[in-house]
Amino acid sequence: MDAPAGTSHLSRRQALSLAVASATALIADSAHAARDASALPSNSSRSRNELSLVVPYTAGGPLDRAARKLTQETTALGNINVLNVPGEGGATGAAMVARAGAREPMLLMGAVATHAILPWLNPQLPYDPLRDFQPLTLVARMPHVLVMRSELAMQWRIYTPEDLLRFMSKHRQALRYASAGNGSIGHIAGQWFQSLTQVPLQHLPFGGARPALSALLEGTADLMFDNIASALPHLRAGRLKAIGVTWRSPLPALPEVPSLDDSIKGMNLTTWFGLFATAGITDSQARRWSDAFAQTLQRPEVQQYFDAMGVVRDDLRLQDFARLVQAEHARYGQLVKRAQIQMH
């Protein structure tokens, strides 16, 4: 198990790479090597009839799995080449799509990390999240789950958000919560929880969501705000206990788990991800691509695939999706400032 690593020992470049490892659920290490940016096809070598969809994280995670399922099922747009371009917490791949140009645009599986969190943590971000992309279709929202090891929850008799608040108020001990790193959505969720409840937590940042989850399972950490796609297998196996979800109502995948917002008003955060194109494409092209992906998302077999991941589907396209991105960009700016999260 990796030891906790605070950003005080990291360079700015390394810190930014850790910053949003868990936002978009970026919780599974790939069984396949991610394709390196240096091996990507140049614009001149790409067929004009072939689209490239950049996933700005390593293969195997929820965004990568969603991208590959969508490209396999969306036959109306011809062959779509999925490229994994990880780096800088998602900024490397997003910047590649932003720079592509409207004549030979690329697609991006963007997320709350690339479009709403990173811009507030890195003033030198090599793209503008609101101007450099054309939002096409929201794919899904992925709520987080506040989880504990099952045996610890039983030992402390913590089964609901109210139980947790009573325990923390009585003992006033700073429970340890793990996250994928400083500035990750798991970190922001923990800081937001503290600001709303005024109960102490000790943040343990790790170099990714996988080692953070390992720390929780092995007892180095007490709590974690994990995304549902990552936590669900451990919840079903009985290794973890779900205390509450960061959604305004119970989730279909976890109908018995209460919403944290019921007892802690304002405690609702989600990782969302969706398809973007390089800015400057025509309106008709944007509508064609958006409609094609939206129709794929409505197919029963595709819906079943996403339901199995535990994510929440929502049909937002073009301007509706753009308004969500703008609202989330503003909201996370306020959360980052209020929680005083900085990269060092």
Side-chain angles (χ1 to χ4, degrees), residues 30-55:
S30 173
H32 311 284
R35 187 174 302 189
D36 189 83
S38 62
L40 299 177
S42 65
N43 283 355
S44 59
S45 65
R46 282 193 290 127
S47 167
R48 291 189 179 276
N49 294 323
E50 181 180 276
L51 279 170
S52 289
L53 169 55
V54 170
V55 177

Side-chain angles (χ1 to χ4, degrees), residues 143-146 161 165 177 185-197 201 225 244-249 258-270 331-332 335:
H144 280 58
V145 188
L146 176 58
L165 292 175
Y177 80 98
I185 193 167
H187 179 202
I188 291 172
Q191 294 298 103
W192 189 238
F193 181 91
Q194 288 189 87
S195 70
L196 293 174
T197 62
L201 290 175
F225 288 90
V245 296
T246 63
W247 190 247
R248 290 187 175 90
S249 60
S259 167
L260 287 169
D261 192 61
D262 288 343
S263 52
I264 307 168
K265 289 301 178 185
M267 193 62 220
N268 48 80
L269 301 169
T270 62
R331 182 179 185 226
Y332 277 93
L335 293 181

Side-chain angles (χ1 to χ4, degrees), residues 150-169:
S150 294
E151 58 190 70
L152 185 63
M154 290 180 64
Q155 178 184 337
W156 288 351
R157 298 181 180 179
I158 296 175
Y159 307 105
T160 66
E162 292 79 9
D163 291 340
L164 177 62
L165 292 175
R166 278 194 296 268
F167 179 90
M168 297 175 74
S169 297

Side-chain angles (χ1 to χ4, degrees), residues 46-52 74 76-77 100-107 134-137 275-294 317-318:
R46 282 193 290 127
S47 167
R48 291 189 179 276
N49 294 323
E50 181 180 276
L51 279 170
S52 289
T74 307
L77 300 180
R103 293 185 63 183
E104 293 187 78
M106 304 176 78
L107 302 175
Q134 168 62 59
L136 298 176
T137 304
L275 291 161
F276 297 79
T278 308
I281 63 174
T282 64
D283 291 344
S284 61
Q285 194 173 34
R287 283 194 300 272
R288 177 172 174 260
W289 289 350
S290 175
D291 289 346
F293 287 118
R317 313 180 196 180
L318 300 172

Side-chain angles (χ1 to χ4, degrees), residues 5-47:
T7 56
S8 59
H9 300 293
L10 302 176
S11 68
R12 179 179 181 82
R13 180 179 180 85
Q14 290 170 320
L16 287 168
S17 294
L18 299 181
V20 290
S22 69
T24 51
L26 316 168
I27 43 80
D29 289 339
S30 173
H32 311 284
R35 187 174 302 189
D36 189 83
S38 62
L40 299 177
S42 65
N43 283 355
S44 59
S45 65
R46 282 193 290 127
S47 167

Side-chain angles (χ1 to χ4, degrees), residues 94-110:
M96 173 178 291
V97 175
R99 292 193 301 262
R103 293 185 63 183
E104 293 187 78
M106 304 176 78
L107 302 175
L108 173 72
M109 185 64 83

